[in-house]
Amino acid sequence: MKMASEALYRFLLAHSAAYPTHTIQCTGSHLEHRTRQVTRTVNGTTTTRTEHHTVTIPDFNFTIDLTNIRGNGPVHWSYGDFEPAYRGLMVRQVDAPQGRRKATKEETASFKAWEHERDEKGYPPWSSRDGKQDLDILQSSHTLRQWADEYCASPKYLKEFVYEKYMHNWNLHAIAEAVRGAIRQTNYGGDVTVLFSYDATKICIRADNRLSRMLSKTWIKVLLCIFLIYPFIWLFKRYHSRGGGRWEVCGGAYTHKYMVPLDGLDGNADSGSPHLPPRIIETKDGPMKLYGLQEGEWFRRWEGVIKRSVSTRLQSDEPMREIEEGPVDPREELDGYVPGRDLDGY
């Protein structure tokens, strides 16, 4: 068992080095009300009537890839003992002083509401409910290695260990509002949707047995549902002592921006992007070294591309990773044109 838990621990450390994929998708559409004449002949009688219907017309659809904007990561974190999380059963539990118990509905609902608010504001997963972030990152009384030991020691047939990759430190709500404002400045009057998406955000480890491998394939699960076999497997997984178990209590945190004092340690800062070298900026706490991009810096770089993509009604399924991949400013095609400088502080 020790060899298995050590292998699991090393596996998690190795695969946590890859950043999760992060994109922002902008779509616009409008409604059109249409009429048509429908002629029908029934028993030799021909009738014509007017039908009204509404259709949704897509105007633009483009995606920007944010994955290459890297601040630091991974920073390994864990939920506190008081937070409702999956700790070996198919229900959320808390580690109370009296022992591990099932979380109440009120505790779970409060935790999920806080998760949603935390995601929008860009807080790290270890932040407190009042927004404090300078707290212990590993808040669980168990270390990552101890959770790996507990998982490997479990005899459950359908157990699963999940390491969550969490992006934070960008205010996504503010970015979405800024993007919507830029789109409105093009005089576009349709319905606008700005959606942030994440991919490759979890590392899932399942039990090494035939049943577990079968259930990891979607087409097999569909067949089991069709033949009404899967409900019995679900009951076994949910209620049997050797059925299923989930461990979702720890993960890695990644950022798009990361600031450290000039004389501070860089930690897990990522300087692997050649087009985003670390630089010195002035903050209210004095000069700091910045890795990655701040929200305003990213928006200033991409605002023109977003507006031109809307104006040209761009429809593309391929994410744009660099500004040069977006629509070209027609002014840049003119000989002798020199673009003006960006305003300071924008």
Side-chain angles (χ1 to χ4, degrees):
M1 191 272 290
K2 289 184 177 180
M3 293 182 62
S5 61
E6 177 67 19
L8 172 59
Y9 178 68
R10 296 298 176 187
F11 178 87
L12 293 174
L13 293 182
H15 285 75
S16 65
Y19 266 63
T21 301
H22 188 195
T23 59
I24 175 173
Q25 182 183 20
C26 304
T27 58
S29 62
H30 69 276
L31 298 178
E32 288 189 2
H33 302 283
R34 298 178 178 179
T35 60
R36 61 183 178 182
Q37 300 292 325
V38 179
T39 302
R40 291 189 175 91
T41 301
V42 180
N43 298 327
T45 303
T46 300
T47 58
T48 300
R49 64 188 181 91
T50 302
E51 290 186 351
H52 302 271
H53 65 285
T54 302
V55 295
T56 300
I57 306 299
D59 296 319
F60 59 85
N61 181 13
F62 58 90
T63 304
I64 300 173
D65 194 336
L66 308 173
T67 307
N68 288 333
I69 306 172
R70 301 182 178 184
N72 76 320
V75 175
H76 303 291
W77 57 270
S78 60
Y79 287 125
D81 294 344
F82 55 90
E83 297 285 15
Y86 292 100
R87 293 178 166 90
L89 296 182
M90 297 301 295
V91 295
R92 295 178 184 267
Q93 297 175 285
V94 295
D95 275 330
Q98 299 79 15
R100 189 171 296 179
R101 63 170 175 81
K102 179 183 177 181
T104 64
K105 291 183 178 179
E106 292 75 16
E107 289 173 331
T108 300
S110 175
F111 177 73
K112 289 182 177 180
W114 164 242
E115 274 191 319
H116 179 73
E117 179 182 353
R118 183 189 66 196
D119 292 346
E120 281 199 336
K121 294 182 177 180
Y123 292 163
W126 57 84
S127 59
S128 62
R129 304 292 174 93
D130 56 2
K132 292 183 180 179
Q133 303 181 28
D134 53 345
L135 306 173
D136 291 335
I137 298 175
L138 295 169
Q139 297 185 352
S140 172
S141 57
H142 287 48
T143 64
L144 177 59
R145 174 59 191 270
Q146 287 173 327
W147 284 117
D149 290 342
E150 182 176 313
Y151 168 81
C152 293
S154 171
K156 296 177 182 291
Y157 289 105
L158 298 175
K159 60 183 179 180
E160 182 179 51
F161 190 100
V162 177
Y163 179 96
E164 181 182 2
K165 296 183 176 184
Y166 188 86
M167 294 292 303
H168 70 98
N169 221 17
W170 260 19
N171 190 328
L172 301 184
H173 178 73
I175 294 176
E177 289 301 312
V179 171
R180 290 191 185 96
I183 294 174
R184 295 304 182 195
Q185 290 176 9
T186 64
N187 295 322
Y188 177 74
D191 296 323
V192 175
T193 301
V194 179
L195 178 65
F196 292 93
S197 299
Y198 297 92
D199 195 13
T201 58
K202 292 183 178 181
I203 303 174
C204 299
I205 295 93
R206 298 184 175 92
D208 184 18
N209 58 67
R210 182 176 297 178
L211 179 60
S212 180
R213 287 192 294 271
M214 287 174 54
L215 294 178
S216 65
K217 296 179 173 60
T218 304
W219 67 273
I220 292 182
K221 291 180 69 173
V222 171
L223 289 177
L224 292 174
C225 290
I226 293 175
F227 291 103
L228 302 179
I229 299 175
Y230 186 77
F232 296 99
I233 298 177
W234 184 88
L235 291 172
F236 168 75
K237 182 178 180 179
R238 175 87 178 185
Y239 296 108
H240 198 279
S241 60
R242 298 288 296 272
R246 296 168 65 179
W247 282 261
E248 298 182 22
V249 73
C250 56
Y254 309 77
T255 66
H256 289 305
K257 65 178 180 181
Y258 178 58
M259 289 184 287
V260 294
L262 297 183
D263 56 351
L265 298 176
D266 293 350
N268 293 325
D270 193 325
S271 58
S273 302
H275 58 294
L276 293 175
R279 57 203 185 282
I280 309 300
I281 64 170
E282 288 292 335
T283 69
K284 62 180 181 180
D285 299 320
M288 305 279 282
K289 185 184 295 185
L290 171 68
Y291 293 84
L293 283 178
Q294 300 179 93
E295 296 94 316
E297 292 178 305
W298 175 86
F299 180 69
R300 183 178 59 187
R301 290 187 176 197
W302 283 90
E303 182 181 13
V305 176
I306 292 172
K307 290 181 177 180
R308 290 194 296 273
S309 299
V310 174
S311 299
T312 59
R313 299 298 189 258
L314 178 64
Q315 302 268 0
S316 176
D317 295 329
E318 186 66 24
M320 294 181 284
R321 295 175 175 81
E322 302 293 340
I323 298 174
E324 294 77 12
E325 298 178 15
V328 177
D329 189 340
R331 296 174 298 178
E332 297 179 1
E333 301 293 327
L334 301 176
D335 292 338
Y337 171 75
V338 179
R341 294 185 175 180
D342 292 323
L343 297 176
D344 292 336
Y346 179 70

